[in-house]
Amino acid sequence: MNITTRLLSLLLFLPLFGAIHSHADDAAALDVSEASFDCIREMTPVRGFYVANLGGDLDATLAAANAPEGAAYPPGSVVQLVPGEAMVKHSPGTSPATKDWEFFELDTSSEGTSIRKRGYADVVNRFGGNCLACHAQAKPEWDMICEQGHGCDPIPLTRDMIVLLQKTDPRCEDNPALSEAEIATLQALRQAAEAGAATAE
């Protein structure tokens, strides 16, 4: 290969390298803020939990969520079971101990979302449980996502409680009216959360 051919090959390769490098930088610079979280029911439902993708690649997130044998979620994926908690997947290598998931405890109101706590290994939820300690029990193929049969310990919420929390997200504009029994359940959940928070402190 003569010097002219080598130079042409290099010139052709450099734009490709630049595009790859730029894409990696974009993934590494995933910006997660309070504005990243909104009404849980505006996300895409999957078997009782909700997903989104902050990078716009919802199809890839849904492919992982619906993979019968499990799959790694792509960067930008957001997973939420209830309005006050979230998981966000960062770029590879961000946090090997959590498979690049960051955990969030959120305060929600009709005015929006505020982040109560965020991190990788030390986020404790309102019921006093460490997020990583629970999700780390998921079998490797499930990428730390806890569902029935994934290996995680049961959570202290029934299916009805979870649905109730989802349909009363204060950030949503179309929340239904509640029955007296549902109101009583919400009050009991708040008391349990307050007790868990006191224990965590």
Side-chain angles (χ1 to χ4, degrees), residues 5-177:
T5 305
R6 287 181 181 178
L7 284 173
L8 285 173
S9 298
L10 181 61
L11 288 172
L12 289 171
F13 174 74
L14 282 174
L16 176 61
F17 176 79
I20 294 170
H21 182 69
S22 174
H23 178 74
D25 286 348
D26 290 345
L30 181 65
D31 182 25
V32 186
S33 68
E34 294 173 340
S36 303
F37 306 102
D38 206 342
C39 170
I40 192 172
R41 297 195 312 275
E42 291 179 2
M43 298 169 68
T44 302
V46 178
R47 295 184 303 279
F49 62 95
Y50 289 82
V51 301
N53 189 293
L54 299 178
D57 197 358
L58 178 61
D59 288 345
T61 296
L62 285 171
N66 290 312
E69 305 300 324
Y73 280 66
S77 294
V78 183
V79 177
Q80 285 193 260
L81 179 64
V82 293
E85 298 181 9
M87 298 170 63
V88 176
K89 189 68 173 275
H90 288 271
S91 58
T94 300
S95 173
T98 66
K99 293 190 175 180
D100 305 313
W101 287 104
E102 184 178 11
F103 301 99
F104 292 79
E105 269 296 301
L106 308 172
D107 286 324
T108 60
S109 72
S110 58
E111 297 178 354
T113 308
S114 61
I115 297 174
R116 177 192 293 252
K117 189 166 186 181
R118 63 185 292 180
Y120 297 93
D122 60 351
V123 176
V124 175
N125 66 23
R126 284 172 170 78
F127 298 96
N130 179 281
C131 297
L132 175 59
C134 178
H135 287 275
Q137 297 178 56
K139 297 172 185 175
E141 63 268 28
W142 301 114
D143 197 18
M144 289 206 175
I145 301 299
C146 292
E147 292 187 71
Q148 289 273 351
H150 285 196
C152 306
D153 287 338
I155 60 175
L157 297 173
T158 66
R159 181 69 197 135
D160 287 345
M161 289 176 178
I162 292 167
V163 171
L164 181 58
L165 290 171
Q166 292 170 346
K167 79 177 187 178
T168 57
D169 185 338
R171 299 165 299 181
C172 303
E173 296 181 355
D174 57 347
N175 289 340

